[in-house]
Amino acid sequence: MGKFNGKVVLITGGARGMGATHAKAFVNEGAKVAITDILVQEGEKLSAELGEQVKFYKHDVTNSSEWETVVTDIEQTFGPINVLVNNAGISLMKPILQMTEEEYRRVIDINQVSVFLGMKSVLPSMQKTKESSIINVSSLAGFRGNNHGSVAYSAAKFAIRGMTKAVALEMALEDIRVNSIHPGLIKTPMTVQKGKEEIIDHLSKKIPMQRAAEPEEVTKLVLFLASSDASFITGQEYILDGGQLASL
């Protein structure tokens, strides 16, 4: 308890799934947490449950002016931002011959451009603090393609790896660490949908550990990378896949 006392954390896509799990854990460790999402009802409900240490913002992560507004309000409410978790994302799997340009650009905007906007918007706030950490949520799809129509999703997740390393080098002398995490199959609302249980069971059997991960298992890594325990770690990639990439 209390590892993040006095720290200010911003989590995008924080209304449910992994983002909500991260938010709860940071609050339990004493942080003041801003959660942003377009899911207003779920976000406001979570904020109310977690108490006055948390504030919810309706936030389109592809909109630079909304980023500016959110960061300004967070600073006025809680103070400069110490931790950014770029967690927002969507999954749209379509073969390239069926995917429209509009759909492709939407996946890139939400999954990749939002990470650029998030880092660019938050870094000036982080420069006011002593030690800061950015965690960019990529995916196992950032290391490989697959046959499920991942052209847009993989493009965005591969890009996050490069963006993370580039910004980590830029900010290394300012004690702002930037790392990426790459979850495989995780039990979230995006993956565990009613009527698709057989698909998850089938995918789980392809994992050496024979199961999907719980969101809390990802959260433990996020908290580690956000903490002073990871003070000499930057520009790195952390894979949570139950062993899937071990044989490649």
Side-chain angles (χ1 to χ4, degrees), residues 4 177 219-230 233 238:
F4 292 94
R177 298 177 295 101
T219 295
K220 290 176 183 178
L221 177 58
V222 169
L223 263 64
F224 166 69
L225 291 173
S227 76
S228 58
D229 292 338
I233 298 174
Y238 284 81

Side-chain angles (χ1 to χ4, degrees), residues 150-170:
S150 68
V151 58
Y153 189 74
S154 287
K157 297 303 185 179
F158 264 85
I160 289 173
R161 291 172 61 195
M163 295 163 65
T164 296
K165 292 178 182 297
V167 178
L169 292 174
E170 286 188 38

Side-chain angles (χ1 to χ4, degrees), residues 32-90:
K32 298 172 183 177
V33 179
I35 54 177
T36 83
D37 212 307
I38 59 171
L39 302 173
V40 175
Q41 187 174 356
E42 291 172 86
E44 290 180 343
K45 180 181 179 182
L46 178 63
S47 177
E49 289 175 357
L50 296 180
E52 61 183 19
Q53 284 178 255
V54 177
K55 186 170 182 179
F56 170 74
Y57 296 87
K58 181 183 178 183
H59 179 205
D60 175 0
V61 291
T62 69
N63 187 307
S64 58
S65 63
E66 288 194 21
W67 268 106
E68 182 178 346
T69 298
V70 166
V71 171
T72 298
D73 193 85
I74 291 170
E75 285 199 317
Q76 292 173 349
T77 303
F78 293 139
I81 297 167
N82 302 97
V83 177
L84 167 64
V85 184
N86 271 316
N87 173 74
I90 62 169

Side-chain angles (χ1 to χ4, degrees), residues 185 204-205 207-214 217 242:
L185 185 61
S204 295
K205 290 178 180 177
I207 299 171
M209 293 182 73
Q210 295 284 291
R211 66 177 180 86
E214 299 293 338
E217 293 177 287

Side-chain angles (χ1 to χ4, degrees), residues 96 98-108:
I96 188 170
Q98 297 176 20
M99 178 169 280
T100 66
E101 180 182 347
E102 181 181 10
E103 289 171 331
Y104 180 87
R105 290 182 182 276
R106 179 167 177 260
V107 173
I108 296 299

